[in-house]
Amino acid sequence: MSLDKSAGTVQTMFGDIAGTYDLLNHLLSFNQDRLWRRRAVARLRPRRGELILDLCCGTGDSTREISQKQPQCRVVGADFAVPMLQIAQTKNLPQLVAADALRLPFSDHSFDAVFVAFGARNFEDTRSGIAEIRRVLKPEGRLLVLEFMRPTSLWLQKAFGAFNWVQAPLGRALSGHASAYNYLPQSIGGFYTRAEFENLLRESGFCGVRSFNHSGGIATSFLGCKTAGDFGDT
Ligand SMILES: C[S@@+](CC[C@H](N)C(=O)[O-])C[C@H]1O[C@@H](n2cnc3c(N)ncnc32)[C@H](O)[C@@H]1O
């Protein structure tokens, strides 16, 4: 059975788990989520004076990470789950916008960079989401997508299976939301592989596409530029 990723379902699901999202994120990942975001933001290399979109910002941990890494840039956090944004608001973030990633309320060529942490896997149509991101990037703009991947090594696959066996019931019990913590491993299992996602970025017109594994490939950072350009020495 295919996973229901319709906008309404995903939006409601994240809205329902907003209150326990941060706690469960840190708990279930043994705080690795913080490290992954920090490393991904370091790869993006936010620069002084830039306007950066943190798409699918959720409760704003990624937005805050970018602002802390480069206090001289302007970060806009966007997400379509308002309860997630309400939590983000308590973190003193300057600009938060309720928006659907597939229909962004921004003009063409608006942002120097777009950062998406653990959001792209949830798009109803990944290809359209990537095209929409590309539309709002400036010609020299860059994209960083941080996403969970199916581990490729055998021992990590086994560890991942055991982890899912523990995290799903724990997530269900603590969040009180059964389907959200079934959705997580299913959505990772049904998502692109690292090579497939790199290809999707290339096919969508991104240049200089490359990727970096975190924690042996449980999470991966993908980078690309809207037009030929580079990320410096990252
Ligand atoms: C797993 S959370 C990640 C939140 C945050 N970036 C982080 O690092 O913790 C995924 C977020 O993506 C948002 N999302 C999923 N699909 C979206 C879409 N089409 N438009 C806007 N937000 C979306 C959800 O509402 C949710 O807040």
Side-chain angles (χ1 to χ4, degrees), residues 104-111 132-138 226:
L104 290 171
F106 307 114
S107 321
D108 297 358
H109 318 307
S110 297
F111 294 94
E132 183 64 349
I133 289 171
R134 195 165 181 277
R135 179 185 71 76
V136 300
L137 273 172
K138 290 181 183 172
K226 179 163 178 172

PDB file of all heavy atoms in Angstrom, residues 104-111 132-138 226:
ATOM      1  N   LEU A 104       5.081  28.198  -3.113  1.00  0.00           N
ATOM      2  CA  LEU A 104       5.691  29.181  -2.216  1.00  0.00           C
ATOM      3  C   LEU A 104       5.227  30.604  -2.537  1.00  0.00           C
ATOM      4  O   LEU A 104       5.177  30.981  -3.718  1.00  0.00           O
ATOM      5  CB  LEU A 104       7.223  29.092  -2.316  1.00  0.00           C
ATOM      6  CG  LEU A 104       7.818  27.820  -1.710  1.00  0.00           C
ATOM      7  CD1 LEU A 104       9.308  27.700  -2.045  1.00  0.00           C
ATOM      8  CD2 LEU A 104       7.621  27.781  -0.198  1.00  0.00           C
ATOM      9  N   PRO A 105       4.921  31.375  -1.499  1.00  0.00           N
ATOM     10  CA  PRO A 105       4.429  32.744  -1.728  1.00  0.00           C
ATOM     11  C   PRO A 105       5.575  33.743  -1.916  1.00  0.00           C
ATOM     12  O   PRO A 105       5.572  34.822  -1.316  1.00  0.00           O
ATOM     13  CB  PRO A 105       3.652  33.023  -0.430  1.00  0.00           C
ATOM     14  CG  PRO A 105       4.372  32.229   0.610  1.00  0.00           C
ATOM     15  CD  PRO A 105       4.932  31.017  -0.078  1.00  0.00           C
ATOM     16  N   PHE A 106       6.588  33.364  -2.689  1.00  0.00           N
ATOM     17  CA  PHE A 106       7.742  34.231  -2.903  1.00  0.00           C
ATOM     18  C   PHE A 106       7.972  34.376  -4.411  1.00  0.00           C
ATOM     19  O   PHE A 106       7.697  33.448  -5.178  1.00  0.00           O
ATOM     20  CB  PHE A 106       9.009  33.639  -2.265  1.00  0.00           C
ATOM     21  CG  PHE A 106       8.847  33.292  -0.801  1.00  0.00           C
ATOM     22  CD1 PHE A 106       8.900  31.970  -0.366  1.00  0.00           C
ATOM     23  CD2 PHE A 106       8.630  34.286   0.145  1.00  0.00           C
ATOM     24  CE1 PHE A 106       8.738  31.645   0.976  1.00  0.00           C
ATOM     25  CE2 PHE A 106       8.468  33.968   1.504  1.00  0.00           C
ATOM     26  CZ  PHE A 106       8.526  32.640   1.913  1.00  0.00           C
ATOM     27  N   SER A 107       8.521  35.531  -4.790  1.00  0.00           N
ATOM     28  CA  SER A 107       8.781  35.766  -6.219  1.00  0.00           C
ATOM     29  C   SER A 107       9.954  34.914  -6.686  1.00  0.00           C
ATOM     30  O   SER A 107      10.754  34.443  -5.872  1.00  0.00           O
ATOM     31  CB  SER A 107       9.164  37.224  -6.468  1.00  0.00           C
ATOM     32  OG  SER A 107       8.398  38.055  -5.680  1.00  0.00           O
ATOM     33  N   ASP A 108      10.071  34.793  -7.990  1.00  0.00           N
ATOM     34  CA  ASP A 108      11.225  34.106  -8.589  1.00  0.00           C
ATOM     35  C   ASP A 108      12.505  34.805  -8.105  1.00  0.00           C
ATOM     36  O   ASP A 108      12.507  36.018  -7.877  1.00  0.00           O
ATOM     37  CB  ASP A 108      11.188  34.241 -10.126  1.00  0.00           C
ATOM     38  CG  ASP A 108       9.950  33.564 -10.729  1.00  0.00           C
ATOM     39  OD1 ASP A 108       9.161  32.982  -9.972  1.00  0.00           O
ATOM     40  OD2 ASP A 108       9.790  33.646 -11.962  1.00  0.00           O
ATOM     41  N   HIS A 109      13.569  34.054  -7.995  1.00  0.00           N
ATOM     42  CA  HIS A 109      14.907  34.599  -7.680  1.00  0.00           C
ATOM     43  C   HIS A 109      14.947  35.419  -6.391  1.00  0.00           C
ATOM     44  O   HIS A 109      15.549  36.499  -6.354  1.00  0.00           O
ATOM     45  CB  HIS A 109      15.413  35.491  -8.835  1.00  0.00           C
ATOM     46  CG  HIS A 109      15.143  34.941 -10.210  1.00  0.00           C
ATOM     47  ND1 HIS A 109      15.505  33.671 -10.587  1.00  0.00           N
ATOM     48  CD2 HIS A 109      14.515  35.482 -11.290  1.00  0.00           C
ATOM     49  CE1 HIS A 109      15.133  33.463 -11.834  1.00  0.00           C
ATOM     50  NE2 HIS A 109      14.513  34.536 -12.285  1.00  0.00           N
ATOM     51  N   SER A 110      14.307  34.939  -5.325  1.00  0.00           N
ATOM     52  CA  SER A 110      14.261  35.718  -4.081  1.00  0.00           C
ATOM     53  C   SER A 110      15.404  35.418  -3.123  1.00  0.00           C
ATOM     54  O   SER A 110      15.846  36.294  -2.399  1.00  0.00           O
ATOM     55  CB  SER A 110      12.969  35.424  -3.315  1.00  0.00           C
ATOM     56  OG  SER A 110      11.849  35.812  -4.034  1.00  0.00           O
ATOM     57  N   PHE A 111      15.865  34.155  -3.075  1.00  0.00           N
ATOM     58  CA  PHE A 111      16.753  33.741  -1.980  1.00  0.00           C
ATOM     59  C   PHE A 111      18.165  33.385  -2.458  1.00  0.00           C
ATOM     60  O   PHE A 111      18.348  32.811  -3.531  1.00  0.00           O
ATOM     61  CB  PHE A 111      16.162  32.524  -1.247  1.00  0.00           C
ATOM     62  CG  PHE A 111      14.875  32.844  -0.537  1.00  0.00           C
ATOM     63  CD1 PHE A 111      13.647  32.633  -1.160  1.00  0.00           C
ATOM     64  CD2 PHE A 111      14.891  33.380   0.749  1.00  0.00           C
ATOM     65  CE1 PHE A 111      12.466  32.950  -0.518  1.00  0.00           C
ATOM     66  CE2 PHE A 111      13.708  33.692   1.401  1.00  0.00           C
ATOM     67  CZ  PHE A 111      12.493  33.483   0.773  1.00  0.00           C
ATOM     68  N   GLU A 132      10.012  24.045  -7.438  1.00  0.00           N
ATOM     69  CA  GLU A 132       9.530  25.267  -6.781  1.00  0.00           C
ATOM     70  C   GLU A 132      10.669  25.938  -5.995  1.00  0.00           C
ATOM     71  O   GLU A 132      10.803  27.166  -6.005  1.00  0.00           O
ATOM     72  CB  GLU A 132       8.344  24.897  -5.867  1.00  0.00           C
ATOM     73  CG  GLU A 132       7.666  26.039  -5.157  1.00  0.00           C
ATOM     74  CD  GLU A 132       6.973  27.051  -6.068  1.00  0.00           C
ATOM     75  OE1 GLU A 132       7.156  27.012  -7.298  1.00  0.00           O
ATOM     76  OE2 GLU A 132       6.263  27.923  -5.524  1.00  0.00           O
ATOM     77  N   ILE A 133      11.496  25.116  -5.349  1.00  0.00           N
ATOM     78  CA  ILE A 133      12.664  25.659  -4.625  1.00  0.00           C
ATOM     79  C   ILE A 133      13.581  26.371  -5.622  1.00  0.00           C
ATOM     80  O   ILE A 133      14.061  27.479  -5.385  1.00  0.00           O
ATOM     81  CB  ILE A 133      13.433  24.514  -3.911  1.00  0.00           C
ATOM     82  CG1 ILE A 133      12.620  23.991  -2.723  1.00  0.00           C
ATOM     83  CG2 ILE A 133      14.817  24.990  -3.459  1.00  0.00           C
ATOM     84  CD1 ILE A 133      13.175  22.731  -2.081  1.00  0.00           C
ATOM     85  N   ARG A 134      13.806  25.710  -6.751  1.00  0.00           N
ATOM     86  CA  ARG A 134      14.721  26.279  -7.751  1.00  0.00           C
ATOM     87  C   ARG A 134      14.181  27.622  -8.262  1.00  0.00           C
ATOM     88  O   ARG A 134      14.928  28.559  -8.500  1.00  0.00           O
ATOM     89  CB  ARG A 134      14.929  25.290  -8.898  1.00  0.00           C
ATOM     90  CG  ARG A 134      16.102  25.627  -9.768  1.00  0.00           C
ATOM     91  CD  ARG A 134      16.538  24.504 -10.671  1.00  0.00           C
ATOM     92  NE  ARG A 134      17.688  24.939 -11.443  1.00  0.00           N
ATOM     93  CZ  ARG A 134      17.616  25.643 -12.552  1.00  0.00           C
ATOM     94  NH1 ARG A 134      16.437  25.960 -13.059  1.00  0.00           N
ATOM     95  NH2 ARG A 134      18.705  26.038 -13.175  1.00  0.00           N
ATOM     96  N   ARG A 135      12.864  27.689  -8.407  1.00  0.00           N
ATOM     97  CA  ARG A 135      12.239  28.929  -8.886  1.00  0.00           C
ATOM     98  C   ARG A 135      12.565  30.111  -7.967  1.00  0.00           C
ATOM     99  O   ARG A 135      12.882  31.206  -8.427  1.00  0.00           O
ATOM    100  CB  ARG A 135      10.714  28.744  -8.975  1.00  0.00           C
ATOM    101  CG  ARG A 135       9.963  29.978  -9.436  1.00  0.00           C
ATOM    102  CD  ARG A 135       8.452  29.815  -9.391  1.00  0.00           C
ATOM    103  NE  ARG A 135       7.890  29.780  -8.058  1.00  0.00           N
ATOM    104  CZ  ARG A 135       7.711  30.832  -7.275  1.00  0.00           C
ATOM    105  NH1 ARG A 135       8.063  32.033  -7.694  1.00  0.00           N
ATOM    106  NH2 ARG A 135       7.191  30.710  -6.055  1.00  0.00           N
ATOM    107  N   VAL A 136      12.495  29.874  -6.633  1.00  0.00           N
ATOM    108  CA  VAL A 136      12.676  31.012  -5.708  1.00  0.00           C
ATOM    109  C   VAL A 136      14.150  31.320  -5.421  1.00  0.00           C
ATOM    110  O   VAL A 136      14.448  32.295  -4.746  1.00  0.00           O
ATOM    111  CB  VAL A 136      11.893  30.821  -4.381  1.00  0.00           C
ATOM    112  CG1 VAL A 136      10.405  30.685  -4.644  1.00  0.00           C
ATOM    113  CG2 VAL A 136      12.419  29.645  -3.553  1.00  0.00           C
ATOM    114  N   LEU A 137      15.057  30.472  -5.922  1.00  0.00           N
ATOM    115  CA  LEU A 137      16.486  30.743  -5.721  1.00  0.00           C
ATOM    116  C   LEU A 137      16.977  31.791  -6.720  1.00  0.00           C
ATOM    117  O   LEU A 137      16.559  31.792  -7.880  1.00  0.00           O
ATOM    118  CB  LEU A 137      17.294  29.463  -5.927  1.00  0.00           C
ATOM    119  CG  LEU A 137      17.469  28.541  -4.712  1.00  0.00           C
ATOM    120  CD1 LEU A 137      18.138  27.231  -5.153  1.00  0.00           C
ATOM    121  CD2 LEU A 137      18.260  29.195  -3.593  1.00  0.00           C
ATOM    122  N   LYS A 138      17.892  32.634  -6.271  1.00  0.00           N
ATOM    123  CA  LYS A 138      18.568  33.561  -7.190  1.00  0.00           C
ATOM    124  C   LYS A 138      19.417  32.732  -8.160  1.00  0.00           C
ATOM    125  O   LYS A 138      19.773  31.584  -7.839  1.00  0.00           O
ATOM    126  CB  LYS A 138      19.484  34.494  -6.394  1.00  0.00           C
ATOM    127  CG  LYS A 138      18.726  35.492  -5.538  1.00  0.00           C
ATOM    128  CD  LYS A 138      19.699  36.399  -4.795  1.00  0.00           C
ATOM    129  CE  LYS A 138      18.929  37.348  -3.894  1.00  0.00           C
ATOM    130  NZ  LYS A 138      19.821  38.122  -3.006  1.00  0.00           N
ATOM    131  N   LYS A 226      21.905  26.592  -8.288  1.00  0.00           N
ATOM    132  CA  LYS A 226      20.891  26.789  -9.336  1.00  0.00           C
ATOM    133  C   LYS A 226      21.561  26.851 -10.713  1.00  0.00           C
ATOM    134  O   LYS A 226      21.078  26.261 -11.668  1.00  0.00           O
ATOM    135  CB  LYS A 226      20.105  28.066  -9.062  1.00  0.00           C
ATOM    136  CG  LYS A 226      19.047  28.357 -10.101  1.00  0.00           C
ATOM    137  CD  LYS A 226      18.040  29.357  -9.608  1.00  0.00           C
ATOM    138  CE  LYS A 226      17.013  29.695 -10.663  1.00  0.00           C
ATOM    139  NZ  LYS A 226      15.930  30.522 -10.140  1.00  0.00           N
TER     140      LYS A 226
END
